[in-house]
Amino acid sequence: MTAHPKEDPQTGELHFFSSSPFPPYLIHHVASADGQVLDSQEVPGATAALKHDFALTEHHVVFLEGSVTFDPSEHSGIPYGWSDAQPSRIGVLPRGAGGAGRVRWYEIGQGFAMHLANAYEDARGRIVIEGPSVGRDGWRRSWNWWVGAPDRGAEPTSGSRGRRWTVDPATGRTGEEESDDLTVEFPTINEAFTGREHRYQYALAFPDDRGVGRHTLVKYDRVTGERRLRPFGAGQLPSEAVFVPAAGATEEDAGYLLTVVGDLDAGASRLLVLDAGDPALAPVATVHLPRRVPAMIHGSWIPDAALTGPGQRAGR
């Protein structure tokens, strides 16, 4: 089951998928806003390629199959590996009843994307997907880092660069480009823009393949092309930056970024609350945690109102 379900902010529907190295390879599920499963459809044409994340647009569900697929000969603990014989593809499934039967697969250049930032339909009707991806060498050096093999990168994100794919359903044409030269992962947005075109995007930047640079929080402005950097000190390892909108916000970046930062020297962690709209991404508050939290985690947030009920008080 995917670790990254997508809630449509307009309809409240929750989309998620299950995948397997054996048939059925991919099943798409939809649940209503009140938690009732509305639909489950097996997706034709899917393969045993590793699928961790996916994307949603107003009218489509988007799956990426990269060049990493099931490999029973891999004994490191996770039976997947790079395969030049496994084509990289984008699957576009129309939302709604019977959509799986109309899925179309579009071949793209070799690579693998673990996490996606967002997808949307542009003014020309094309589907645009954004997120970091790696090529063959980046995957190999990252995998070697995880399993402790020689010839490994300095970080488990070797060669991971921001990328943008486009699919034109009218012509069948696809395009892709590198959107940034930083080594990044854990992309996030203001989730009110899930499936719609967003302006701002956030990610964590890592030291490069040889360990040059520092862990940094990046804010991208897709309109101006500008990127803002908030570097962290030596031995400070941030986690995914989660966007929380400010009460009554009218601007897309009016709100806060939450990131758990691990102090690798002190063995401690703290939650930083940053001003997402400030050019310097200035801290608003720091919460010192009673124990260390493993670094590079995903996160989420819950408003006080969702926790308030009989016998409960709103959090502070």
Side-chain angles (χ1 to χ4, degrees), residues 4 21 37 61 74 78 91 126 134 149 169 187 212 223 255 267 301-302 316:
H4 302 285
V37 176
V61 182
E74 175 59 61
I78 303 177
R126 300 179 305 173
V134 299
V212 178
V223 172
W301 67 283
I302 303 172
R316 298 284 184 182

Side-chain angles (χ1 to χ4, degrees), residues 41-92:
Q41 302 181 66
E42 181 178 346
V43 181
T47 71
L50 178 60
K51 288 173 278 293
H52 182 74
D53 199 0
F54 73 119
L56 196 66
T57 73
E58 184 177 0
H59 299 104
H60 300 92
V61 182
V62 181
F63 298 100
L64 262 72
E65 288 197 341
S67 298
V68 174
T69 192
F70 178 61
D71 181 1
S73 69
E74 175 59 61
H75 299 298
S76 62
I78 303 177
Y80 286 87
W82 184 277
S83 172
D84 286 332
Q86 173 70 42
S88 291
R89 305 183 304 160
I90 296 174
V92 177

Side-chain angles (χ1 to χ4, degrees), residues 242-263:
V242 177
F243 182 88
V244 180
T250 57
E251 298 295 327
E252 183 181 334
D253 64 342
Y256 310 95
L257 294 170
L258 308 181
T259 179
V260 176
V261 180
D263 187 323

Side-chain angles (χ1 to χ4, degrees), residues 66-282:
S67 298
V68 174
T69 192
F70 178 61
D71 181 1
S73 69
E74 175 59 61
H75 299 298
S76 62
I78 303 177
Y80 286 87
W82 184 277
S83 172
D84 286 332
Q86 173 70 42
S88 291
R89 305 183 304 160
I90 296 174
V92 177
L93 183 155
R95 290 173 59 170
R102 293 177 284 130
V103 66
R104 294 177 63 185
W105 293 93
Y106 301 85
E107 194 158 326
I108 56 175
Q110 281 193 315
F112 174 73
M114 179 69 78
H115 299 114
L116 300 176
N118 195 26
Y120 61 89
E121 295 153 25
D122 68 11
R124 296 166 54 185
R126 300 179 305 173
I127 297 167
V128 182
I129 310 108
E130 296 185 354
S133 71
V134 299
R136 182 196 299 108
D137 190 58
W139 169 268
R140 178 181 58 82
R141 291 178 62 77
S142 294
W143 191 263
N144 287 350
W145 186 96
W146 284 107
V147 301
D151 191 23
R152 58 183 179 268
E155 297 277 343
T157 50
S158 295
S160 182
R161 304 280 192 270
R163 204 153 192 85
R164 182 179 297 112
W165 299 268
T166 58
V167 175
D168 189 337
T171 65
R173 294 177 181 172
T174 63
E176 56 185 298
E177 61 180 334
E178 188 171 282
S179 58
D180 193 27
D181 58 358
L182 292 176
T183 300
V184 294
E185 248 295 350
F186 298 101
T188 57
I189 62 168
N190 178 342
E191 291 186 354
F193 289 82
T194 297
R196 276 71 178 176
E197 186 166 5
H198 61 286
R199 175 172 180 175
Y200 300 105
Q201 188 171 307
Y202 311 93
L204 295 184
F206 294 81
D208 68 16
D209 196 55
R210 304 298 171 182
V212 178
R214 287 188 174 180
H215 297 96
T216 302
L217 177 60
V218 188
K219 175 184 178 181
Y220 295 101
D221 185 328
R222 299 175 61 259
V223 172
T224 66
E226 181 182 34
R227 71 184 185 197
R228 296 280 185 175
L229 305 178
R230 188 190 192 284
F232 294 86
Q236 305 297 302
L237 186 56
S239 294
E240 178 179 73
V242 177
F243 182 88
V244 180
T250 57
E251 298 295 327
E252 183 181 334
D253 64 342
Y256 310 95
L257 294 170
L258 308 181
T259 179
V260 176
V261 180
D263 187 323
L264 303 183
D265 298 322
S269 299
R270 65 191 190 279
L271 171 67
L272 285 186
V273 183
L274 307 173
D275 184 349
D278 184 87
L281 300 175

Side-chain angles (χ1 to χ4, degrees), residues 25-42:
Y25 294 115
L26 178 63
I27 301 175
H28 170 242
H29 307 277
V30 184
S32 64
D34 62 357
Q36 302 300 310
V37 176
L38 302 175
D39 195 21
S40 294
Q41 302 181 66
E42 181 178 346

